[in-house]
Amino acid sequence: MPAAAPALAAPRSFLPLPLLIALFCVLWSAAFAGAKLALGDCPPLILLSARLLVAGVIMIVLAWWVDGRPAIGRRDLLALVFVGLLNNSLYLGLNWTALTFTSSAYTAVLTSCLPLVVALFAGPLLGERMTLVKWAGIGLGLVGVVIVLRSRLAGAHESLAGTLLVAGGVSALAAGTLAFKYLRPRGGVWTGNAIQCLAGGLALVPIALMTENMGDIRLTANLFAGFAYLVIGVSIGGYGLWFYLLTRSSATAASSLHFLMPPLGLFFGWLLLGEAVPPLDILGIVPIALGIWLVTRPAQA
């Protein structure tokens, strides 16, 4: 790992860490239902590129107003652009495309497999020590995810194409998480997040214009409500908290929070979209919660 580059500076927090973790989980898991709500009235890549560009401009203005012009070198800028392409263009682009024909709950379940992918590479890339307790926690989390996954696939309501798109998105998010921890770009969390949003949005604009039709956009209340939440609640709030949490814990421990996404994703899918919640989904929450506790406890200690 490069020793000369200090980690991305985290802003001082006025809230306790457990509360920040809970807030991140709520904001992140509700994003699947929020995106599904807005995607009914706008093509996915057009909506995503607009969201990223608007959020990026807002965060740049806020960051410079609060912290002043950041001292970011060329290496840091390139690192943030690279992570932004992985986290925003690839992860979100694939996920949102899948959401046009898969349920938000199913997408949340598959995305919760992120800790498994991160854990496989965190040791050799980041030097993180994986104990038997951590592996046991990851294993329990996987059991819970499989239970929920089996429940969702039992009725054959989801497709292989959607599954492959979400799996590709999870792989991109895992690569972005590992790259962020490995490259350790300098600068504030808000500025770094803004650069990532702008990089992802600019990369998606030509693809969106070539593959989607602006005439398919319908200006509805659902579109405006979903877009506002995705910009403020997720791009600014959720991603800001995610990178803040990465500065406070290991990549494995932070990514283990994604095991909470299945139950929360199921809840918001039911609450906002009326998606059904089979009983097996509820059963899967138990090993997921226990797995999170086992993985994060050693890191917190």
Side-chain angles (χ1 to χ4, degrees), residues 50-114:
R51 162 199 164 178
L52 293 173
L53 292 176
V54 170
V57 170
I58 292 174
M59 281 186 287
I60 280 288
V61 172
L62 289 176
W64 285 25
W65 179 55
V66 173
D67 300 326
R69 184 172 180 175
I72 296 181
R74 180 180 178 183
R75 176 195 176 279
D76 306 309
L77 180 61
L78 292 175
L80 290 169
V81 169
F82 176 64
V83 174
L85 293 176
L86 290 171
N87 285 342
N88 293 321
S89 299
L90 282 176
Y91 162 60
L92 290 175
L94 292 172
N95 259 26
W96 280 32
T97 301
L99 275 172
T100 58
F101 54 92
T102 61
S103 68
S104 65
Y106 185 69
T107 305
V109 169
L110 293 184
T111 304
S112 71
C113 294
L114 173 70

Side-chain angles (χ1 to χ4, degrees), residues 196-219:
Q196 292 178 64
C197 282
L198 292 173
L202 290 173
L204 284 173
V205 166
I207 301 174
L209 294 178
M210 287 188 296
T211 60
E212 297 175 347
N213 185 4
M214 295 287 288
D216 293 333
I217 301 174
R218 296 189 298 272
L219 302 179

